[in-house]
Amino acid sequence: MGNRETEQAAITHVLALERAAGRDPRDVRTSGLPYDVDSVPRMIEVKAFSRSARSETLPLEHRQVVAAKANPERFHLYVVDNLAGLDGIEIGVRVLHGEVLLAMIERSRPQITHWPTFRAAEYDEAERLG
């Protein structure tokens, strides 16, 4: 399962969990908001892992950190793991918010990461080895 499929599976799972909890979730990934799912009163950022997320790094964008600090009880980080279903392990969801999430953010070190898009024309024209 590739990154996009893993992310989509995690979002689909979170949307189903939110509906089961009686909320009306919306996938807002393309809206420019600093989170993936709007499920009033929750603002949910989803981190997806094909295997266990135990002891893994949870990358947050600066705008997500700002949102978490501004709304610590509303901003939720859902860590969805075991999406590959290896060894029959069920998908798991860990929910972080409030003081726990703020403490995790405070002990982290910010890093600047650039995420350039590899456009189709650039891909097609790039030198190819092998």
Side-chain angles (χ1 to χ4, degrees), residues 91-123:
I91 294 173
V93 180
R94 303 285 195 265
V95 179
L96 304 166
H97 70 101
E99 294 301 318
V100 172
L101 181 55
L102 291 177
M104 290 175 72
I105 289 170
E106 289 305 315
R107 72 173 184 256
S108 67
R109 293 182 185 194
Q111 298 178 12
I112 296 174
T113 303
H114 297 266
W115 295 80
T117 301
F118 197 8
R119 294 183 177 145
E122 294 165 333
Y123 176 90

Side-chain angles (χ1 to χ4, degrees), residues 41 51 116:
R51 296 190 177 172

Side-chain angles (χ1 to χ4, degrees), residues 45-67:
E45 171 59 20
V46 177
K47 295 299 178 191
F49 294 85
S50 59
R51 296 190 177 172
S52 174
R54 188 169 193 241
S55 297
E56 290 292 332
T57 300
L58 304 174
L60 293 175
E61 297 172 11
H62 177 72
R63 63 195 192 116
Q64 293 166 338
V65 169
V66 170

Side-chain angles (χ1 to χ4, degrees), residues 15-103:
L15 292 171
L17 290 174
E18 289 298 295
R19 284 188 197 100
R23 291 183 281 274
D24 185 26
R26 292 181 307 117
D27 181 343
V28 295
R29 286 179 287 173
T30 60
S31 69
L33 293 169
Y35 49 91
D36 299 317
V37 175
D38 187 23
S39 186
V40 176
R42 296 178 179 199
M43 302 180 301
I44 303 168
E45 171 59 20
V46 177
K47 295 299 178 191
F49 294 85
S50 59
R51 296 190 177 172
S52 174
R54 188 169 193 241
S55 297
E56 290 292 332
T57 300
L58 304 174
L60 293 175
E61 297 172 11
H62 177 72
R63 63 195 192 116
Q64 293 166 338
V65 169
V66 170
K69 287 180 175 182
N71 296 292
E73 292 307 315
R74 289 192 62 217
F75 191 92
H76 288 67
L77 181 61
Y78 281 30
V79 181
V80 184
D81 65 355
N82 296 316
L83 285 158
L86 300 173
D87 301 324
I89 297 172
E90 292 184 26
I91 294 173
V93 180
R94 303 285 195 265
V95 179
L96 304 166
H97 70 101
E99 294 301 318
V100 172
L101 181 55
L102 291 177

